[in-house]
Amino acid sequence: LASMVCIRMATVNDLLMMQTTNLWCLPENYQMKYYFYHLLTWPQLLWVAEDFDGKIVGYVMAKMEEDEKQPKHGHITSLSVLRTHRKRGIATDLMRRSQCEMQHVFDAEYVSLHVRKSNRAAFHLYRETLQYDIHDVEKGYYADGEDAYDMRCDFKKQQQQQQQQQ
Amino acid sequence: VCWHVYGLLHRADHNYNEAIKAYKQALKIDKDNLQILRDLSWLQMQMRDLNGFLVTRNTLLNLKPNLKLNWLAFCLSKHLTGDLEGAVRVIDIYLETLDADSPEKQRDYEPSELALYKNHLLGEISPHRGYLHLMACKPLVVDMGAWMLQKAKYELRMAKWADARATYIQIFQRGLTEDYRVHAGYMCSILERPQIPKTIGTHTLVTTVVLDQKQRQKIMEVYKATLARKFGRSKAVQRVIMTLMDQDELSVALEAYCRKQLTKGVPSLASDLQSFLLLESPPPSSPNAEKTFVLATDPLDIKNHATYQAMVKIADRFITNLESCKKYDPNDTDEEPPSTILWAWYFRAGLHELAGQYNEGIALLEKCFEHTPTAVDVYELIARLYRSAGDIAKAVEYLDKGRDLDKQDRYINNLTTKYMLAAGQPETALERISLFTKHEGNPEQNLFDMQCCWYELDLADCLGRKQIFGKAIKKYTAVVQHFEDFQEDQFDFHSYCIRKVTLRAYTDVLRWEDDLWGQPYYGRAAEGLIDLYLKLHDNPGLLNEQLGNGAEPDYSNMTAAERKKAKAIARKKKKAAEKKAAELEEKQKAENNGKALANGPVDDDPDGKELLKSKVPLDEARNYSAILSKHAPGKVSTWILQFDVSMRRKKTLMALQALFKAKSIDAENPDLFTRIVEFAVTTPFVDENEIVMSVVKSELPSLLNGCSNVGDFVMRMSETCKSAVETLSLPMRTAIAAALIKTEKASPKEASELIVNGGLNGHGMTVENCAKALTVLQKMGAETGTWEKIVKEGFPLSTLFASS
């Protein structure tokens, strides 16, 4: 199934468009400085989906958590794909690229993220396609009071599962 | 200490130049003060005083050579002042100060970043040295993706074609099959080209440069033999192969591709396939430059494109079959699910849109509504078609209905807002977008805090069209403020990035910041501001109206006594108005102070009146035009605006230069043509000094394509127009018609024929351009009924054109 978007690592030239894409998809928004902060700390973890005309139609912004008490792990700060570009597997591709860099560049053992309890499409992506597990429920995590699933994907476990499948 | 504190205060106020001066004074007294030197260095970087930065970092390194940050900062200062060898040497000397078992020399993130940064410097000096270093530092590197990409680039530059090919395969294996720039590089290794062309999106070498049949075949063979085997599931590989096919093979592949996408129900299929509609762009100016491709966007070009015609055939056949037997082809074994026909109609409507066939598209989408009234995508497309067909109000209606079906979706909410702004409904637009802003406080403030440029620009455009100048200027200025914040944002990262050693990303950001004012959002804001300020300059009475003073009386025809009396009355009126406004402000402030605690900062000047009062329109226009000339010199609109500003400032040579710059970018531009005519008609009659006039006299003929006077120039364009009326753009026809009147070379009837006789044939046939043409016809006093009839027939849904 041909997807026809370019999946590549983000550069500074993409940040303004990523911010716009975020404003068109999600109610959780960030100032540009936060985008700079991610790009300038973990450049390998930011990926974009670029359409044929150069428009950024999707992105993933991730970081490494600096928690001494836990094993090294990454965290997905924000992920979104424009409504017009659904059903192309773009979100999956973006997540896979970022997760790969988390493992190989930053030695992450697992990656975590938050997702709205009611967001069935996103939950399906994480649970079924990307094989995240529910780690916890965070009550009232979102600004409008909605609960979040705190989900995790353990990389070693994922590798074992993939090997078994093969 | 006093100077230091003074400097800190200036820094806090973002008066960086003043802060630098203060710090330098402090250093005269205490030249080795580490804190002051550090602070000064970041200020110098922020202001791009790179030589100053070099000196300060040199001092700091000598004072504290045991600090890693001082070494890296000094290295950076060498790099940015152009001493690449020096920068590399600094890194080497630093590493020599460390033991072999130092953590800086082990495989980890920071050593890896430093090695790759050093390699970037070496690569700039020579690919050979870069390559050797890259191979040597591999054990340290954790960012293997970047390492391999750099290796491949060196191999291309050094003509190691087979090595490059192997490296690209490794890059694909790492998972980068969907990065089309990697494909572009791979193709270069196949065709033995050392330089990868700059590409955007899903473009590769094949779709950017016009290659010959042999070259295309060579790439195709390699892709089919190697990549298709190794990476069979890669979407990009399949797509690249499609871009290499000839028309017949492509039609077959497109059919298979469409089947999959329609069954799956992918909404973006039509826009997807548009990427295949490439045209060879006009031959390049220099004979040695390669021919390139450009995307077809005008309906005329699309309709004539062989691949488009193939897509239409496929879509029509599918629809016929799906409607009759629920299969793509009668010989298919299984029936398609009920949604497939919906997406087939939707796809065909999308194809109609590309060809400018809005009515046909709308008819199909009506069928979609009957089938599935809840398909939000259909509402989006039908709205877009109605808008293009000239009925924005109807477009808004549809979008709002679609939005109502999915209140959780911000995209459709934003789109509805956007269309409402385009339809001149800013109040309802604000209501819609507020559904997604944070619940506390003023939604416009929240959008400002989140730097929501798209909304502020669209709102400013909307208000500008409604002649609400104050608020429009305020909104454009808000976007300018965001960009000023973006420039300010980098400040903390100067020290941060050197500590984190993410020097490649950091230097990229520095470069980006240097050209911040060339960004499209800023450009739109600046262009919007120039447009409004020029309007205010041209019409001073307008400014007074906007400020609520009422129109100024015309003093020119009064006697001295009358003038004195009129001015006294005007003064009294103004005072009364100001008193009233002040009372209102006090009342507002009292209310707001109550709200302020709950809602955060309150806008003192929501309608931009204070902003308007404080600005001199032509000065503002000039300032923004100067920035655009410096940072967006590649856009023809920059020079059109520069011309407009320069003419009003009576800067003849600057105006002339702007025309030449515009011509070098887009010689066929209708706005440029109009201004060349304006210049040629106006300038010889303006009182100017001799040198200026002699320059104008010698340079003007080349602008007039060799003609000795503007009348001949316009006549010649008119002749070209008459013989090529079918392919010339409507805006150009309109511009030539207006020029014929301006140069008094034709009667209104004759000039109007240029517009009317071409009908709706040619490029640029949009409702907007038809309306502009109508305005020109009205201005020249020509008969408009025929043109209105023609447009109404071609765009029956348009609300701008009355029925005949």
Side-chain angles (χ1 to χ4, degrees), chain B residues 425-438:
Chain B
Q425 304 165 12
E427 296 87 7
T428 35
L430 180 59
E431 277 174 35
R432 292 297 176 274
I433 199 170
S434 301
L435 295 169
F436 274 87
T437 56
K438 288 290 172 268

Side-chain angles (χ1 to χ4, degrees), chain B residues 75-336:
Chain B
C75 162
L76 188 71
S77 74
K78 286 256 174 205
H79 172 195
L80 296 176
T81 47
D83 183 4
L84 298 173
E85 289 277 13
V88 170
R89 214 167 26 243
V90 170
I91 297 177
D92 288 339
I93 296 171
Y94 165 63
L95 291 172
E96 277 167 35
T97 67
L98 306 170
D99 296 329
D101 60 1
S102 155
E104 299 297 329
K105 296 189 174 178
Q106 314 311 316
R107 184 177 176 276
D108 203 350
Y109 189 70
E110 288 182 16
S112 169
E113 287 293 303
L114 183 60
L116 289 173
Y117 172 67
K118 176 181 164 185
N119 189 267
H120 169 78
L121 297 171
L122 283 168
E124 299 266 296
I125 298 171
S126 105
H128 185 74
R129 284 176 66 185
Y131 179 77
L132 288 174
H133 172 256
L134 193 70
M135 301 307 281
C137 75
K138 188 176 179 184
L140 273 184
V141 171
V142 296
D143 187 356
M144 284 312 293
W147 188 90
M148 287 196 278
L149 282 167
Q150 195 53 49
K151 177 168 179 276
K153 284 209 180 96
Y154 286 140
E155 285 161 348
L156 285 179
R157 283 167 75 186
M158 295 161 71
K160 294 174 182 268
W161 311 119
D163 288 349
R165 278 171 73 158
T167 308
Y168 278 117
I169 296 291
Q170 286 181 314
I171 296 171
F172 286 138
Q173 274 165 342
R174 191 160 196 272
L176 276 139
T177 52
E178 309 310 298
D179 183 344
Y180 285 77
R181 300 168 319 169
V182 180
H183 284 278
Y186 186 56
M187 291 172 183
C188 286
S189 70
I190 296 169
L191 293 185
E192 301 187 358
R193 299 167 63 111
Q195 192 84 349
I196 311 174
K198 263 200 104 189
T199 56
I200 61 161
T202 52
H203 287 292
T204 60
L205 179 67
V206 167
T207 59
T208 308
V209 172
V210 181
L211 301 171
D212 64 40
Q213 187 58 19
K214 243 177 72 187
Q215 291 170 312
R216 293 168 67 92
Q217 219 156 330
K218 187 150 188 223
I219 297 176
M220 176 67 112
E221 278 163 16
V222 172
Y223 265 75
K224 280 195 167 159
T226 313
L227 290 194
R229 264 195 319 109
K230 279 195 154 89
F231 308 106
R233 298 177 69 205
S234 160
K235 308 157 189 174
V237 169
Q238 291 172 38
R239 189 174 178 278
V240 166
I241 290 175
M242 281 169 85
T243 61
L244 289 160
M245 293 177 177
D246 63 33
Q247 195 56 57
D248 293 330
E249 211 186 339
L250 180 59
S251 297
V252 174
L254 280 175
E255 184 171 328
Y257 176 71
C258 287
R259 278 172 173 253
K260 282 208 184 99
Q261 303 280 300
L262 292 175
T263 305
K264 188 158 197 229
V266 177
S268 51
L269 180 58
S271 90
D272 248 4
L273 295 185
Q274 188 189 359
S275 59
F276 280 101
L277 304 179
L278 299 171
L279 299 169
E280 283 187 27
S281 55
S285 39
S286 50
N288 293 324
E290 280 181 304
K291 281 207 276 185
T292 55
F293 284 112
V294 80
L295 190 70
T297 49
D298 192 284
L300 183 64
D301 297 326
I302 286 176
K303 273 187 279 203
N304 292 332
H305 201 289
T307 308
Y308 174 78
Q309 290 160 1
M311 291 174 194
V312 167
K313 265 210 187 108
I314 292 168
D316 285 340
R317 202 174 65 245
F318 281 173
I319 289 173
T320 309
N321 291 335
L322 285 166
E323 282 177 348
S324 64
C325 63
K326 297 192 183 152
K327 297 180 194 169
Y328 292 115
D329 184 272
N331 297 323
D332 291 349
T333 41
D334 299 317
E335 273 185 5
E336 287 295 312

Side-chain angles (χ1 to χ4, degrees), chain A residues 1-17 19-45 47-55 64 66 72 81-93 96-97 100-107 116 118 142-146, chain B residues 107-109 113 142-145 174-176 178-181 199-203 233 235-236 238-239 242 257 260-261 264-268 271-276 295 343 376-377 380 406 408-412 414-415 418 436 438-439 446-454 483 486 489-490 492-493 496-497 500 502 504-506 508-509 512-513 516 519 521:
Chain A
L1 211 59
S3 153
M4 298 223 198
V5 288
C6 177
I7 307 288
R8 58 170 177 77
M9 205 178 278
T11 69
V12 64
N13 300 304
D14 301 319
L15 295 184
L16 276 176
M17 273 205 275
Q19 188 185 39
T20 302
T21 302
N22 167 266
L23 283 162
W24 276 74
C25 293
L26 298 170
E28 291 82 36
N29 311 125
Y30 315 97
Q31 294 184 328
M32 188 51 51
K33 196 166 183 183
Y34 199 50
Y35 291 86
F36 281 136
Y37 166 63
H38 280 73
L39 185 78
L40 291 169
T41 316
W42 310 279
Q44 294 85 359
L45 300 184
W47 289 74
V48 294
E50 187 186 0
D51 207 357
F52 69 94
D53 55 2
K55 185 175 178 188
M64 292 301 292
E66 330 246 274
K72 284 194 194 163
V81 175
L82 286 181
R83 195 211 167 95
T84 46
H85 287 72
R86 298 161 8 251
K87 294 199 175 157
R88 295 216 237 171
I90 292 174
T92 308
D93 285 346
R96 290 229 163 96
R97 289 297 97 237
C100 173
E101 300 294 318
M102 266 181 217
Q103 282 183 266
H104 295 120
V105 177
F106 294 99
D107 284 337
R116 285 175 184 270
S118 65
Y142 289 100
D144 60 5
E146 186 171 0
Chain B
R107 184 177 176 276
D108 203 350
Y109 189 70
E113 287 293 303
V142 296
D143 187 356
M144 284 312 293
R174 191 160 196 272
L176 276 139
E178 309 310 298
D179 183 344
Y180 285 77
R181 300 168 319 169
T199 56
I200 61 161
T202 52
H203 287 292
R233 298 177 69 205
K235 308 157 189 174
Q238 291 172 38
R239 189 174 178 278
M242 281 169 85
Y257 176 71
K260 282 208 184 99
Q261 303 280 300
K264 188 158 197 229
V266 177
S268 51
S271 90
D272 248 4
L273 295 185
Q274 188 189 359
S275 59
F276 280 101
L295 190 70
W343 293 112
V376 179
D377 299 285
E380 179 182 358
D406 192 353
Q408 303 300 318
D409 180 50
R410 194 166 197 185
Y411 179 86
I412 197 76
N414 278 10
L415 197 62
K418 192 178 177 71
F436 274 87
K438 288 290 172 268
H439 295 286
N446 180 250
L447 290 162
F448 178 83
D449 290 340
M450 288 301 112
Q451 302 164 334
C452 192
C453 292
W454 78 262
F483 274 79
F486 300 156
D489 283 341
Q490 62 178 311
D492 291 338
F493 291 108
Y496 179 80
C497 292
K500 291 284 185 177
T502 49
R504 289 174 296 152
Y506 172 63
D508 283 348
V509 168
W512 183 85
E513 289 277 3
L516 185 61
Q519 289 291 327
Y521 275 159

